[in-house]
Amino acid sequence: AQSVSQHNHHVILSEAASLELGCNYSYGGTVNLFWYVQYPGQHLQLLLKYFSGDPLVKGIKGFEAEFIKSKFSFNLRKPSVQWSDTAEYFCAVNARAAGNKLTFGGGTRVLVKP
Amino acid sequence: SQTIHQWPATLVQPVGSPLSLECTVEGTSNPNLYWYRQAAGRGLQLLFYSVGIGQISSEVPQNLSASRPQDRQFILSSKKLLLSDSGFYLCAWSRGERQAFFGQGTRLTVV
């Protein structure tokens, strides 16, 4: 069965600091990878996704993620965060061989102090 | 365009009462449908997953059940609620291996 783990439950940082959120998955086959974000009081929305091709994926709001197949990782990064990046971030995985069932990590709450 | 409706937004129910949360999708056909429970610090726990009418996969043992009576309708139910069923429930849909889209969620409080 596929599973997803996010290393940090809470991250606190100041504006303009760099952000990196770890995500590892356990599934041996071909996977699709996603990062979702949930801003306070809002729905989950997609930040970026990886299906194939360039392992460095750029998403909305200056976020990017790198798929490292050998490490089963898909870490999310942003070089310089803003107060408005305060949110909860979720990594997710699905795989065609697993029926495209979408499995989420535990989430990371990010607080950006102004 | 596709939309997903989930209701009610909030619900307070006594212990032992039944539950029915409904989710419908518009603008697509044969979607994959999901019920998740979101708990602080525990992320989104997949409860049920459906690839078609009447096809339900239960991911975790629990007091809840799900049904898909129509292609774009997904219902989360319980015959007798427990205190531990309190939480935030999210419905979602996707097509194949593409991204999932989420409903607004239902905050369930069992008292």
Coordinates of all heavy atoms in Angstrom, one line a residue, chain B residues 30-87:
Chain B
N30 N -18.4 9.8 -14.4 CA -17.6 8.7 -13.9 C -16.4 9.2 -13.1 O -15.2 8.8 -13.4 CB -17.1 7.8 -15.0 CG -16.6 6.5 -14.5 OD1 -17.0 6.0 -13.5 ND2 -15.7 5.9 -15.2
P31 N -16.6 10.1 -12.2 CA -15.4 10.6 -11.4 C -15.0 9.6 -10.3 O -15.8 8.7 -9.9 CB -15.9 11.9 -10.7 CG -17.4 11.6 -10.5 CD -17.8 10.8 -11.7
N32 N -13.8 9.6 -9.9 CA -13.4 8.9 -8.6 C -13.9 9.8 -7.5 O -13.7 11.0 -7.6 CB -11.9 8.8 -8.6 CG -11.3 7.9 -9.7 OD1 -11.9 7.0 -10.1 ND2 -10.1 8.2 -10.1
L33 N -14.4 9.2 -6.5 CA -15.0 10.0 -5.4 C -14.3 9.6 -4.1 O -14.0 8.4 -3.9 CB -16.5 9.8 -5.3 CG -17.3 10.4 -6.5 CD1 -18.7 10.0 -6.4 CD2 -17.2 11.9 -6.5
Y34 N -14.1 10.5 -3.2 CA -13.4 10.2 -1.9 C -14.2 10.9 -0.8 O -14.7 12.0 -0.9 CB -12.0 10.9 -2.0 CG -11.1 10.6 -3.1 CD1 -11.3 11.3 -4.3 CD2 -10.1 9.7 -3.1 CE1 -10.5 11.0 -5.4 CE2 -9.3 9.4 -4.1 CZ -9.5 10.1 -5.3 OH -8.6 9.9 -6.4
W35 N -14.1 10.2 0.4 CA -14.4 10.8 1.7 C -13.1 10.8 2.5 O -12.5 9.7 2.7 CB -15.5 10.1 2.4 CG -16.9 10.5 2.0 CD1 -17.8 9.7 1.3 CD2 -17.6 11.7 2.2 NE1 -19.0 10.4 1.1 CE2 -18.9 11.6 1.6 CE3 -17.2 12.9 2.9 CZ2 -19.8 12.6 1.7 CZ3 -18.2 13.9 2.9 CH2 -19.4 13.8 2.3
Y36 N -12.8 12.0 3.0 CA -11.6 12.1 3.9 C -12.1 12.7 5.2 O -13.1 13.4 5.3 CB -10.6 13.1 3.3 CG -9.8 12.6 2.1 CD1 -10.3 12.9 0.8 CD2 -8.6 11.9 2.3 CE1 -9.6 12.5 -0.3 CE2 -7.9 11.5 1.1 CZ -8.4 11.8 -0.1 OH -7.7 11.4 -1.2
R37 N -11.3 12.4 6.3 CA -11.5 13.1 7.6 C -10.2 13.9 7.8 O -9.1 13.3 7.8 CB -11.8 12.1 8.7 CG -12.0 12.8 10.0 CD -12.7 12.0 11.1 NE -12.2 10.7 11.2 CZ -12.8 9.6 11.6 NH1 -14.1 9.7 12.0 NH2 -12.3 8.4 11.7
Q38 N -10.4 15.1 8.2 CA -9.2 16.0 8.5 C -9.2 16.2 10.0 O -10.1 16.8 10.5 CB -9.3 17.3 7.7 CG -8.1 18.2 7.8 CD -8.1 19.4 7.0 OE1 -9.2 19.8 6.5 NE2 -7.0 20.1 6.9
A39 N -8.1 15.9 10.6 CA -7.9 16.1 12.0 C -6.6 16.8 12.2 O -5.6 16.6 11.5 CB -7.9 14.8 12.8
A40 N -6.6 17.7 13.1 CA -5.4 18.6 13.4 C -4.2 17.7 13.6 O -4.2 16.8 14.5 CB -5.6 19.5 14.6
G41 N -3.1 17.9 12.9 CA -1.9 17.1 13.1 C -1.9 15.8 12.5 O -0.9 15.1 12.5
R42 N -3.0 15.4 11.9 CA -3.1 14.0 11.3 C -3.4 14.1 9.8 O -3.6 13.0 9.2 CB -4.1 13.2 12.1 CG -3.7 12.9 13.5 CD -4.9 12.3 14.3 NE -5.2 11.0 13.7 CZ -6.2 10.2 14.2 NH1 -7.0 10.7 15.2 NH2 -6.5 9.1 13.6
G43 N -3.4 15.3 9.3 CA -3.6 15.4 7.9 C -5.0 14.9 7.4 O -6.0 15.0 8.2
L44 N -5.1 14.4 6.2 CA -6.3 13.9 5.6 C -6.3 12.4 5.6 O -5.4 11.8 4.9 CB -6.5 14.5 4.2 CG -7.1 15.8 4.0 CD1 -6.1 16.9 4.4 CD2 -7.6 16.0 2.6
Q45 N -7.1 11.8 6.3 CA -7.2 10.4 6.4 C -8.3 9.9 5.4 O -9.5 10.3 5.5 CB -7.6 10.0 7.8 CG -7.7 8.4 8.0 CD -8.2 8.1 9.4 OE1 -9.0 8.8 10.0 NE2 -7.7 7.0 9.9
L46 N -7.9 9.1 4.5 CA -8.8 8.6 3.5 C -9.7 7.6 4.2 O -9.3 6.6 4.7 CB -8.1 7.9 2.3 CG -8.9 7.4 1.2 CD1 -9.8 8.4 0.5 CD2 -8.0 6.7 0.2
L47 N -11.1 7.8 4.1 CA -12.0 6.9 4.7 C -12.6 5.9 3.7 O -12.7 4.7 3.9 CB -13.2 7.7 5.3 CG -12.8 8.8 6.4 CD1 -14.0 9.5 6.8 CD2 -12.1 8.1 7.5
F48 N -13.1 6.5 2.5 CA -13.7 5.7 1.5 C -13.3 6.2 0.1 O -13.1 7.4 0.0 CB -15.3 5.7 1.6 CG -15.8 5.2 2.9 CD1 -16.1 6.0 4.0 CD2 -15.9 3.8 3.1 CE1 -16.6 5.5 5.2 CE2 -16.4 3.3 4.3 CZ -16.7 4.2 5.3
Y49 N -13.3 5.3 -0.8 CA -12.9 5.6 -2.2 C -13.8 4.9 -3.1 O -14.0 3.7 -2.9 CB -11.4 5.2 -2.3 CG -10.8 5.3 -3.7 CD1 -10.8 6.5 -4.4 CD2 -10.3 4.1 -4.3 CE1 -10.2 6.5 -5.6 CE2 -9.7 4.2 -5.5 CZ -9.7 5.4 -6.2 OH -9.2 5.4 -7.4
S50 N -14.2 5.5 -4.2 CA -15.1 4.9 -5.1 C -14.8 5.2 -6.5 O -14.5 6.4 -6.9 CB -16.6 5.4 -4.9 OG -17.4 4.9 -5.9
V51 N -14.7 4.2 -7.4 CA -14.4 4.4 -8.8 C -15.6 4.2 -9.7 O -15.5 4.4 -10.9 CB -13.3 3.4 -9.3 CG1 -12.0 3.6 -8.5 CG2 -13.7 1.9 -9.1
G52 N -16.7 3.9 -9.1 CA -17.9 3.7 -9.9 C -19.1 3.5 -9.0 O -19.0 3.2 -7.8
I53 N -20.3 3.5 -9.6 CA -21.6 3.3 -8.9 C -21.5 1.9 -8.1 O -21.2 0.9 -8.7 CB -22.8 3.3 -9.8 CG1 -22.9 4.7 -10.4 CG2 -24.1 2.9 -9.1 CD1 -24.0 4.7 -11.5
G54 N -21.8 2.0 -6.8 CA -21.8 0.8 -6.1 C -20.5 0.2 -5.7 O -20.4 -0.8 -5.0
Q55 N -19.4 0.8 -6.1 CA -18.1 0.3 -5.9 C -17.4 1.2 -4.8 O -17.0 2.3 -5.1 CB -17.2 0.3 -7.1 CG -17.8 -0.5 -8.3 CD -16.9 -0.4 -9.5 OE1 -15.7 -0.7 -9.5 NE2 -17.5 0.1 -10.6
I56 N -17.3 0.6 -3.6 CA -16.8 1.4 -2.5 C -15.6 0.6 -1.8 O -15.8 -0.6 -1.6 CB -17.9 1.6 -1.4 CG1 -19.2 2.1 -2.0 CG2 -17.4 2.5 -0.3 CD1 -19.1 3.5 -2.5
S57 N -14.5 1.3 -1.6 CA -13.4 0.8 -0.9 C -13.3 1.5 0.4 O -13.2 2.7 0.5 CB -12.1 1.0 -1.8 OG -11.0 0.6 -1.0
S58 N -13.3 0.7 1.5 CA -13.2 1.2 2.8 C -11.7 1.1 3.2 O -11.1 0.1 3.2 CB -14.0 0.4 3.8 OG -13.8 0.9 5.1
E59 N -11.2 2.2 3.6 CA -9.7 2.3 3.9 C -9.4 2.0 5.4 O -8.3 1.6 5.7 CB -9.2 3.7 3.5 CG -9.3 3.9 2.0 CD -8.6 2.9 1.1 OE1 -7.4 2.6 1.4 OE2 -9.2 2.3 0.2
V60 N -10.3 2.4 6.3 CA -10.0 2.2 7.7 C -11.3 1.6 8.3 O -12.4 2.0 8.0 CB -9.6 3.5 8.4 CG1 -8.2 3.9 7.9 CG2 -10.6 4.6 8.2
P61 N -11.1 0.7 9.3 CA -12.3 0.2 10.0 C -12.8 1.3 10.9 O -12.1 2.0 11.5 CB -11.7 -1.0 10.9 CG -10.2 -0.6 11.0 CD -9.8 0.1 9.8
Q62 N -14.2 1.4 10.9 CA -14.8 2.5 11.6 C -16.3 2.3 11.7 O -16.8 1.3 11.2 CB -14.4 3.8 10.9 CG -15.0 3.8 9.5 CD -14.2 4.8 8.7 OE1 -14.0 6.0 9.2 NE2 -13.8 4.5 7.5
N63 N -16.9 3.3 12.3 CA -18.3 3.3 12.6 C -19.1 3.9 11.4 O -20.3 4.0 11.4 CB -18.6 4.1 13.8 CG -20.0 4.1 14.2 OD1 -20.7 3.1 14.2 ND2 -20.5 5.3 14.6
L64 N -18.4 4.2 10.3 CA -19.0 4.9 9.2 C -19.1 4.0 8.0 O -18.4 3.0 7.9 CB -18.2 6.1 8.8 CG -18.0 7.1 9.9 CD1 -16.9 8.1 9.5 CD2 -19.3 7.8 10.2
S65 N -20.0 4.3 7.1 CA -20.1 3.6 5.8 C -20.4 4.6 4.7 O -20.7 5.8 5.0 CB -21.3 2.6 5.9 OG -22.5 3.3 6.1
A66 N -20.2 4.2 3.5 CA -20.4 5.1 2.3 C -21.2 4.3 1.3 O -21.1 3.1 1.2 CB -19.1 5.6 1.8
S67 N -21.9 5.1 0.5 CA -22.6 4.6 -0.6 C -22.6 5.5 -1.8 O -22.4 6.7 -1.7 CB -24.1 4.3 -0.2 OG -24.7 5.6 0.1
R68 N -22.7 4.9 -3.0 CA -22.7 5.7 -4.2 C -23.9 5.3 -5.1 O -23.8 4.4 -6.0 CB -21.4 5.5 -5.0 CG -21.2 6.4 -6.2 CD -19.8 6.3 -6.8 NE -19.7 7.1 -8.0 CZ -18.5 7.3 -8.6 NH1 -17.4 6.8 -8.1 NH2 -18.5 8.0 -9.7
P69 N -25.0 5.8 -4.8 CA -26.2 5.4 -5.5 C -26.3 5.9 -6.9 O -27.0 5.2 -7.8 CB -27.4 6.0 -4.6 CG -26.8 7.1 -3.9 CD -25.3 6.8 -3.7
Q70 N -25.7 7.0 -7.2 CA -25.6 7.5 -8.6 C -24.2 7.8 -8.9 O -23.3 8.0 -8.0 CB -26.5 8.7 -8.7 CG -28.0 8.5 -8.4 CD -28.8 9.8 -8.5 OE1 -28.6 10.5 -9.5 NE2 -29.6 10.0 -7.5
D71 N -23.9 8.0 -10.2 CA -22.5 8.3 -10.7 C -21.9 9.4 -10.0 O -20.7 9.4 -9.7 CB -22.6 8.5 -12.2 CG -21.2 8.7 -12.7 OD1 -20.3 7.9 -12.4 OD2 -21.0 9.7 -13.5
R72 N -22.6 10.5 -9.7 CA -22.0 11.7 -9.2 C -22.5 12.0 -7.8 O -22.5 13.2 -7.3 CB -22.2 12.9 -10.1 CG -21.5 12.7 -11.4 CD -21.9 13.7 -12.5 NE -23.2 13.5 -13.0 CZ -23.8 14.2 -13.9 NH1 -23.3 15.3 -14.3 NH2 -25.0 13.9 -14.3
Q73 N -22.9 11.0 -7.0 CA -23.4 11.2 -5.7 C -22.7 10.2 -4.7 O -22.6 9.0 -5.0 CB -24.9 11.0 -5.6 CG -25.6 11.2 -4.3 CD -27.0 10.9 -4.3 OE1 -27.5 10.0 -5.0 NE2 -27.8 11.5 -3.5
F74 N -22.2 10.8 -3.6 CA -21.4 10.0 -2.7 C -21.9 10.3 -1.3 O -22.0 11.5 -0.9 CB -19.9 10.3 -2.8 CG -19.0 9.2 -2.4 CD1 -19.4 7.9 -2.4 CD2 -17.7 9.5 -2.0 CE1 -18.5 6.9 -2.0 CE2 -16.8 8.5 -1.6 CZ -17.2 7.2 -1.6
I75 N -22.3 9.4 -0.5 CA -23.0 9.6 0.8 C -22.2 8.9 1.9 O -21.8 7.8 1.7 CB -24.4 9.1 0.7 CG1 -25.3 9.8 -0.3 CG2 -25.1 9.3 2.1 CD1 -26.6 9.2 -0.6
L76 N -22.0 9.7 2.9 CA -21.3 9.1 4.1 C -22.3 9.0 5.2 O -23.1 9.9 5.5 CB -20.2 10.1 4.6 CG -19.3 9.6 5.8 CD1 -18.5 8.5 5.4 CD2 -18.5 10.8 6.2
S77 N -22.4 7.8 5.8 CA -23.5 7.5 6.7 C -22.9 6.8 8.0 O -21.8 6.3 8.0 CB -24.5 6.5 6.1 OG -25.0 7.1 4.9
S78 N -23.8 6.9 9.0 CA -23.6 6.1 10.2 C -25.0 5.7 10.8 O -25.9 6.6 10.7 CB -22.8 6.8 11.2 OG -22.7 6.1 12.4
K79 N -25.1 4.6 11.3 CA -26.4 4.2 12.0 C -26.4 4.8 13.4 O -27.5 5.2 13.9 CB -26.5 2.7 12.0 CG -26.7 2.0 10.7 CD -26.9 0.5 10.8 CE -27.1 -0.1 9.4 NZ -27.2 -1.5 9.4
K80 N -25.3 4.8 14.1 CA -25.2 5.3 15.4 C -23.9 6.0 15.6 O -22.9 5.4 15.7 CB -25.4 4.2 16.5 CG -26.7 3.5 16.6 CD -26.7 2.5 17.7 CE -28.1 1.9 17.9 NZ -28.2 0.9 19.0
L81 N -24.0 7.3 15.8 CA -22.8 8.1 15.9 C -22.1 7.9 17.3 O -22.8 7.7 18.3 CB -23.1 9.6 15.7 CG -23.2 10.0 14.3 CD1 -23.8 11.5 14.2 CD2 -21.9 10.0 13.5
L82 N -20.8 7.9 17.3 CA -20.0 7.9 18.5 C -19.3 9.3 18.7 O -19.2 10.1 17.7 CB -18.9 6.9 18.4 CG -19.3 5.4 18.0 CD1 -18.1 4.6 17.8 CD2 -20.2 4.9 19.1
L83 N -18.9 9.6 19.9 CA -18.2 10.8 20.2 C -17.0 11.0 19.3 O -16.7 12.0 18.8 CB -17.8 10.9 21.7 CG -18.9 11.3 22.7 CD1 -18.4 11.2 24.1 CD2 -19.5 12.6 22.4
S84 N -16.3 9.8 19.1 CA -15.1 9.8 18.3 C -15.3 10.1 16.8 O -14.3 10.3 16.1 CB -14.3 8.5 18.5 OG -15.2 7.4 18.1
D85 N -16.5 10.1 16.4 CA -16.8 10.5 15.0 C -16.8 12.0 14.7 O -16.8 12.4 13.6 CB -18.2 9.9 14.6 CG -18.2 8.4 14.5 OD1 -17.2 7.8 14.1 OD2 -19.3 7.8 14.9
S86 N -16.7 12.8 15.8 CA -16.6 14.2 15.6 C -15.3 14.5 14.7 O -14.3 13.9 14.9 CB -16.4 14.9 16.9 OG -17.6 14.8 17.7
G87 N -15.5 15.5 13.8 CA -14.3 15.8 13.0 C -14.8 16.6 11.8 O -15.9 17.0 11.7

